[in-house]
Amino acid sequence: MKKYLGIDLGTSSLKVVVVNQRGEIVNSSTIHYDVIIRNEGWVEQNPDQWLKALKEALTDLKKLDSQILKEINAISVTGQMHGIVPVDEFGNALHHAIIWSDRRNEQELAALQTELTNEEWVAITGNRPNISFTLGKILWFKNHEPELYVKTDKFLLPKDYLRMQLTGIAETDYSDASATLLLDIRTLKWSEKIMNLFHLKRSKLPEIKSSISFSGSITRISAETLGLKEGTPVICGCGDAQAQALGNGIIHPKDWLCTVGTSGQLFVSTDRLAMEKSGKLHTLVHADPGKWVLMGATLSAGMSFKWLAESIFDSQLEIKELLALASTASAGSKNLLFLPYLFGERSPYMDEKAKGTFIGFTNEHTKSEMSRAVVEGVLFSLYQSFKIVEETIGQKCKYLLLTGGGAQHDLWVKSAADIFNVPVVRNNSRGGGAYGAAMLAAVGAGDFNTLSQVAEKWGLYQHEMVYYPDSALHEKYEKLYQVYVRAYDSLKEIFHGLHDC
């Protein structure tokens, strides 16, 4: 039976899955690695770590089946978005990767905001400037490392760098390109206006392809290094948000996805280009050709809970124990609110200076209420995006699929149903973004006609568990939410004052 290899280059780990033609995961491996923080706000990774992790993960696969890598029919790659790796003409990295959470380009971000209004940025790229986006990182290299900028042959996104090591070819796909602030969202070409405005060379950007397009084949060198079969087709791939959606069958407009992982996303597929004019949401290209994405994001979702457990409660309780403790608090956490802006915030504020905040402490609050308030605060943030999506596309959500680490605990799922006031579906984990990459490999290899066909054949539309909202609890949450949405505006000047100190 044919097999497909999906590779997911994440922020904290690299995951590989081997999926057969029935959609069953035959084997998988996850290898963790660290980020490098050289200065405050500077967040990097060594691309050599990624290659080492890939080699280790593939070695793990061979331990259970020595021939498995030789039986792979096609490969595809997904990975963390917005980051950048400058490479020379031979594909060698000239600098550590600057990843999505890096904040060094604040001056460049200010320049972007000065040159065009938010509405003008959205009209061209579908997005407004944000500290995470790739364009600001390229401009940082241009301004602060001019010699390196000149030497750079191509600026590659993380997953594209990894794929280049497999094939020797520098390319990207429309989904990842749409999150750089460089792609014209209507023509699906690198924007000449933006390139000219900031005096960037078009030659330093890779060619763009569909996510299901053939990108190249495993080279002799990568075959010898990694144990893969020389000549195995490598399919272009997509950004990790889109791959996560694919791996959960989010292809049609009726399907809405909420991911609660390290960060959080509200992801909706559309058949037509739809944009929130002021840029409160991200408009991206879907991995499925001819489709688009409206996405809201909160930067610290599960990370907020991890922060509470490890930094505030000093790891006195494991995360599972803390979630159990949070479940003992009543819904609404006795009117304690948490704003999850530990790394600034994306949707709807796009404000890198926003700060995490508890509001409403009294002597009645305990660890239980604090823990539950973090869960509810993260979901309130995603609920903001949910409501803006409904307004933007003029369509109500029928049900919401919750995935990521948060979906593994009833408190997150039940609270989401009560806050969003829609049925929330939880499916068994299929392997996340790596599984979505395997789907791209299956279609790109020509074994399936469409991604929808793969999703149907592989059983992604079969829901394992549905949680229904409690109308009384939703009414209670809605009152708290109305206070929550006013909190940012009331505190914005204070956040910015603290940041500028």
Side-chain angles (χ1 to χ4, degrees):
M1 185 179 294
K2 293 182 177 180
K3 298 182 179 70
Y4 313 100
L5 176 66
I7 304 170
D8 183 6
L9 176 66
T11 305
S12 58
S13 65
L14 180 142
K15 181 172 185 177
V16 296
V17 297
V18 177
V19 182
N20 67 23
Q21 208 167 355
R22 289 197 295 260
E24 299 162 334
I25 295 179
V26 178
N27 207 338
S28 67
S29 176
T30 301
I31 304 296
H32 293 272
Y33 39 69
D34 297 321
V35 298
I36 300 166
I37 301 177
R38 289 198 290 149
N39 296 305
E40 184 178 354
W42 290 30
V43 189
E44 302 177 355
Q45 284 180 325
N46 185 344
D48 288 342
Q49 273 192 316
W50 300 341
L51 294 169
K52 181 184 177 187
L54 177 58
K55 186 174 182 178
E56 289 180 16
L58 295 177
T59 299
D60 282 350
L61 298 185
K62 289 193 294 183
K63 288 177 181 177
L64 292 178
D65 182 349
S66 62
Q67 295 302 307
I68 194 168
L69 298 185
K70 305 296 183 183
E71 298 171 352
I72 300 297
N73 291 84
I75 301 168
S76 192
V77 185
T78 183
Q80 51 175 296
M81 302 168 78
H82 312 306
I84 202 72
V85 186
V87 300
D88 64 20
E89 59 185 315
F90 303 107
N92 300 310
L94 299 174
H95 192 279
H96 282 169
I98 297 180
I99 68 171
W100 62 273
S101 52
D102 187 277
R103 301 168 60 87
R104 76 186 67 185
N105 61 311
E106 286 191 7
Q107 289 182 337
E108 287 71 26
L109 175 62
L112 298 181
Q113 294 167 331
T114 300
E115 290 292 339
L116 297 171
T117 66
N118 285 335
E119 288 74 15
E120 289 172 323
W121 278 108
V122 171
I124 299 170
T125 71
N127 298 282
R128 60 190 276 191
N130 181 276
I131 196 73
S132 295
F133 283 162
T134 314
L135 174 56
K137 296 176 174 65
I138 294 177
L139 291 177
W140 184 88
F141 275 118
K142 188 170 183 286
N143 294 336
H144 298 274
E145 298 276 359
E147 292 184 7
L148 185 146
Y149 178 83
V150 171
K151 290 179 183 177
T152 297
D153 182 64
K154 292 286 187 291
F155 286 102
L156 296 180
L157 295 161
K159 70 107 169 49
D160 300 324
Y161 171 82
L162 193 63
R163 192 184 57 252
M164 186 181 188
Q165 305 311 306
L166 300 177
T167 65
I169 297 171
E171 293 176 330
T172 192
D173 78 293
Y174 295 118
S175 75
D176 227 355
S178 67
T180 63
L181 213 65
L182 282 160
L183 186 78
D184 187 314
I185 199 71
R186 300 179 191 278
T187 66
L188 297 186
K189 296 179 180 179
W190 297 122
S191 169
E192 292 294 335
K193 181 172 181 177
I194 292 173
M195 302 294 287
N196 292 335
L197 195 59
F198 296 99
H199 308 291
L200 298 175
K201 289 186 176 181
R202 164 67 183 81
S203 62
K204 292 186 181 294
L205 298 177
E207 295 300 318
I208 319 173
K209 285 188 171 181
S210 163
S211 295
I212 58 173
S213 294
F214 172 78
S215 181
S217 301
I218 295 296
T219 64
R220 177 181 56 81
I221 294 174
S222 60
E224 292 174 353
T225 304
L226 299 171
L228 295 164
K229 184 172 65 177
E230 183 179 355
T232 304
V234 179
I235 307 308
C236 200
C238 65
D240 61 355
Q242 289 90 332
Q244 178 79 17
L246 279 183
N248 285 282
I250 305 299
I251 298 172
H252 304 295
K254 67 181 177 63
D255 302 314
W256 293 41
L257 175 71
C258 183
T259 300
V260 179
T262 301
S263 58
Q265 294 89 32
L266 191 284
F267 186 105
V268 179
S269 172
T270 65
D271 290 334
R272 61 179 179 84
L273 179 60
M275 295 185 285
E276 200 287 319
K277 292 182 179 179
S278 66
K280 293 178 181 177
L281 301 171
H282 299 306
T283 299
L284 305 172
V285 180
H286 202 295
D288 192 25
K291 295 186 187 297
W292 309 87
V293 172
L294 274 178
M295 189 178 84
T298 186
L299 290 177
S300 184
M303 180 58 75
S304 291
F305 206 83
K306 187 173 185 289
W307 161 82
L308 184 74
E310 296 179 358
S311 298
I312 303 304
F313 295 159
D314 196 24
S315 300
Q316 296 170 30
L317 296 168
E318 295 291 332
I319 288 179
K320 287 183 179 179
E321 295 174 314
L322 197 57
L323 280 165
L325 185 62
S327 300
T328 65
S330 59
S333 307
K334 294 183 180 176
N335 297 337
L336 181 65
L337 291 177
F338 175 71
L339 307 187
Y341 309 151
L342 300 180
F343 299 97
E345 187 55 316
R346 288 270 193 95
S347 308
Y349 305 117
M350 306 298 172
D351 184 358
E352 71 281 1
K353 297 181 180 180
K355 307 297 178 190
T357 311
F358 278 103
I359 301 173
F361 272 125
T362 72
N363 67 321
E364 295 183 1
H365 292 120
T366 67
K367 288 180 180 178
S368 300
E369 284 77 29
M370 288 180 68
S371 303
R372 184 162 188 140
V374 169
V375 171
E376 292 167 344
V378 168
L379 292 172
F380 277 150
S381 178
L382 292 164
Y383 184 47
Q384 283 182 284
S385 294
F386 176 89
K387 293 177 80 70
I388 297 169
V389 170
E390 286 190 330
E391 294 169 4
T392 301
I393 65 175
Q395 177 182 323
K396 293 290 185 181
C397 175
K398 295 181 179 179
Y399 69 91
L400 187 68
L401 176 63
L402 192 73
T403 189
Q408 306 311 308
H409 196 281
D410 286 350
L411 177 63
W412 283 99
V413 189
K414 186 66 175 72
S415 298
D418 294 334
I419 288 172
F420 288 78
N421 200 32
V422 295
V424 173
V425 174
R426 177 168 65 185
N427 289 349
N428 292 328
S429 174
R430 299 273 188 143
Y435 193 86
M439 294 172 66
L440 293 172
V443 175
D447 296 325
F448 294 87
N449 294 323
T450 65
L451 289 163
S452 292
Q453 183 186 34
V454 178
E456 184 175 353
K457 294 287 186 182
W458 290 7
L460 298 182
Y461 299 136
Q462 299 170 8
H463 302 318
E464 278 82 13
M465 185 78 72
V466 182
Y467 294 72
Y468 293 94
D470 181 315
S471 58
L473 287 180
H474 174 70
E475 185 176 343
K476 180 176 183 177
Y477 275 130
E478 194 66 29
K479 290 178 181 177
L480 275 176
Y481 173 73
Q482 295 305 320
V483 179
Y484 178 94
V485 296
R486 296 198 303 272
Y488 170 81
D489 288 334
S490 298
L491 293 170
K492 180 179 178 179
E493 285 190 21
I494 294 174
F495 290 155
H496 286 219
L498 289 171
H499 184 88
D500 293 340
C501 285

